[in-house]
Amino acid sequence: MHKYEKIWLVFGIGALIFFLSVIGVSAFYLGNQPPSCLATIDPDKVDQTAPFSEPGLKKVEGKDWDYELVYVAQAFSYTPNEVEIPKGAKVKFIVTTKDVIHGFEVAGTNVNMMVEPGYISEKVATFDKPGEYLVLCNEYCGAGHHMMYSKIKVVD
Ligand code: CUA
């Protein structure tokens, strides 16, 4: 084999190994789960597990947020289906799913989470503008995916 051919072969294999390890390290470094999912839950016992046994809006005291808004996602709906919150409320969303992976995006806000079975996804947002906000599923979850939504009404 020609000398230069050998050099390039070694260089090529070296680069390949380098990039594969970069991909490997970055894919598994964070433990392979969405960063918004910190707590776990048994997906078969969602209905019996607090706070998901009573989904909906709850006023809370002594926390960095005013309300906790609990959702259960399942193919192809969210519980609750419609929620009214007062203008200016700082709300912590707490979401889990009973079946497959769903999305949880509140259109027009910074709330955009992946909801995985076995995990609880959380995000805090403040609603300063009155109006209607759509909660949308942005992870393909099956035949009814496009019909999966919920509504949030922010009222004065
Ligand atoms: Cu649920 Cu797409």
Side-chain angles (χ1 to χ4, degrees):
M1 213 165 18
H2 197 276
K3 189 179 162 200
Y4 288 117
E5 234 177 292
K6 253 187 205 161
I7 290 170
W8 281 111
L9 192 67
V10 168
F11 176 76
I13 291 171
L16 184 70
I17 290 169
F18 173 74
F19 286 117
L20 282 178
S21 41
V22 167
I23 292 166
V25 167
S26 53
F28 297 106
Y29 181 64
L30 290 172
N32 221 2
Q33 53 175 268
S36 61
C37 299
L38 301 170
T40 55
I41 183 173
D42 183 342
D44 295 326
K45 297 198 175 98
V46 169
D47 286 336
Q48 294 98 285
T49 309
F52 302 102
S53 44
E54 285 173 66
L57 190 70
K58 275 173 210 90
K59 182 103 177 82
V60 293
E61 304 288 343
K63 297 193 177 170
D64 287 342
W65 44 89
D66 313 314
Y67 291 91
E68 287 178 352
L69 184 41
V70 177
Y71 280 93
V72 175
Q74 62 183 308
F76 301 99
S77 65
Y78 298 101
T79 311
N81 183 246
E82 196 173 309
V83 175
E84 220 175 74
I85 58 180
K87 190 188 131 185
K90 196 172 179 186
V91 178
K92 184 184 201 179
F93 289 89
I94 304 172
V95 190
T96 195
T97 165
K98 281 172 154 181
D99 40 41
V100 296
I101 292 178
H102 296 282
F104 189 92
E105 178 183 357
V106 185
T109 74
N110 63 343
V111 180
N112 189 354
M113 307 187 282
M114 192 197 249
V115 187
E116 267 193 283
Y119 292 95
I120 298 168
S121 302
E122 299 179 334
K123 179 85 185 174
V124 177
T126 305
F127 290 85
D128 289 324
K129 279 188 212 139
E132 237 178 56
Y133 294 77
L134 265 187
V135 177
L136 299 166
C137 181
N138 55 12
E139 294 284 334
Y140 183 75
C141 53
H145 161 71
H146 61 285
M147 302 181 330
M148 187 165 169
Y149 70 94
S150 176
K151 259 189 227 168
I152 295 172
K153 279 185 183 163
V154 178
V155 293
D156 265 315

